[in-house]
Amino acid sequence: MTSTAVAARDQERTRPRLPELRGPARKAVLTVHVLAAATWIGIDVLVAVLVGLGLLAPDPELGGAALLVLGTAVVPPMLASALVCLASGLLLGLGTRWGLVRYWWVAVKLAITLVLSTLILVLLRPGMPAVADHGRALLQARPPAGDVSFLVYPPVVSLTALSLAVVLSVAKPWGRVRRALSPRRPSPPRPGAARPRRSSPPARPR
């Protein structure tokens, strides 16, 4: 083992760690994580239904009511479930052997949760007042001021990413990050295998 590998191993051993989650504590955090993820997915399905009604309903009142509900009552529980899912995932990563960036599937899941939570805060939440105003205009038989066709993309993107996260949680593919990034070492010779003969140096002229 090289000196660099020994130093990295010693540094990892001496690094301060959070108390490990075991027994009931781990099961409780895992249950919260699964429930938050399931709630998040359910809200995304509800968003898809409301968007479909708001854009495709033949009755303007039905479409307006769907957009009004979407613009006023959906984003807060979605954001809450996303943050709970993120926080419980961080606890599970820091408190168990999986870590946060020790395995590829955990790192990708963490990236998915961070990106989707950021998109809710930065893109989806600021546009909800305009969506609610669009719904009120339809309910009051007024021409709506803006276009809400962009609402098709959030449920498609979120449901696809969350479905991928569920698959990663079940399959746990790709192995460890450090093993994939570290250079491969030559395998030791098998016992009983013939060693290559060294070529004898050429004879010196007399």
Side-chain angles (χ1 to χ4, degrees), residues 115-173:
V115 170
L116 291 181
S117 301
T118 304
L119 290 177
I120 293 174
L121 284 171
V122 175
L123 295 181
L124 188 61
R125 187 180 181 184
M128 288 299 102
V131 174
D133 292 339
H134 195 101
R136 293 189 186 95
L138 291 177
L139 287 174
Q140 297 172 4
R142 294 186 289 107
D147 183 21
V148 292
S149 59
F150 70 94
L151 292 173
V152 174
Y153 301 104
V156 173
V157 173
S158 184
L159 284 174
T160 302
L162 291 177
S163 299
L164 175 60
V166 172
V167 173
L168 293 177
S169 299
V170 176
K172 298 179 176 58

Side-chain angles (χ1 to χ4, degrees), residues 43-79:
I43 293 175
D44 278 341
V45 173
L46 176 62
V47 169
V49 173
L50 292 176
V51 169
L53 290 175
L55 298 179
L56 303 176
D59 185 5
E61 292 186 358
L62 178 59
L67 292 178
L68 183 60
V69 172
L70 177 61
T72 56
V74 172
V75 171
M78 177 192 293
L79 180 59

